[in-house]
Amino acid sequence: RPAGANGHRQITLLHAGPVRLVLFAFDEGGRMPQHQAQGWVTIHVMRGVLRVKTPDAEHVLNEGQLLALAPNIRHDVDAVDESDMLLGVYPEGPTGSGAANG
């Protein structure tokens, strides 16, 4: 199957209001250029190895690992190997902080 833009393909599994779940298939060396989301972001590596860079850190995620990013954190994603990723985007909490009170 031919690669999409930047060496990856994607399919949206769920788009309900601001909540999105998107499955990405990366070729080795594929990437998502730097971007940010207005909600919480989860990156779950289903297969392969991904490198996620934020302004403060570089995370190397292996198969089965999950990274959560707070709203508005700029990040990019590079596929070290051929990889599959489940991306989740979730709105901020009702207080705007994303934190739960209890």
Side-chain angles (χ1 to χ4, degrees):
R1 11 170 237 223
N6 297 312
H8 67 76
R9 295 162 299 286
Q10 66 192 68
I11 183 169
T12 300
L13 303 177
L14 172 70
H15 190 178
V19 176
R20 291 193 309 272
L21 284 177
V22 184
L23 183 63
F24 285 82
F26 287 91
D27 294 331
E28 181 178 341
R31 68 184 321 265
M32 286 178 63
Q34 191 175 76
H35 60 284
Q36 66 190 50
Q38 292 185 359
W40 285 87
V41 171
T42 58
I43 295 171
H44 186 181
V45 180
M46 310 300 288
R47 179 177 66 99
V49 180
L50 295 175
R51 182 181 299 114
V52 181
K53 292 183 206 149
T54 67
D56 297 328
E58 179 174 302
H59 308 272
V60 176
L61 305 174
N62 295 297
E63 182 175 315
Q65 290 188 301
L66 177 92
L67 175 68
L69 298 174
N72 301 310
I73 299 291
R74 294 190 66 74
H75 60 283
D76 60 21
V77 179
D78 290 289
V80 177
D81 295 322
E82 189 175 290
S83 302
D84 296 329
M85 169 184 86
L86 183 61
L87 173 75
V89 180
Y90 309 92
E92 291 188 64
T95 63
S97 68
N101 295 323

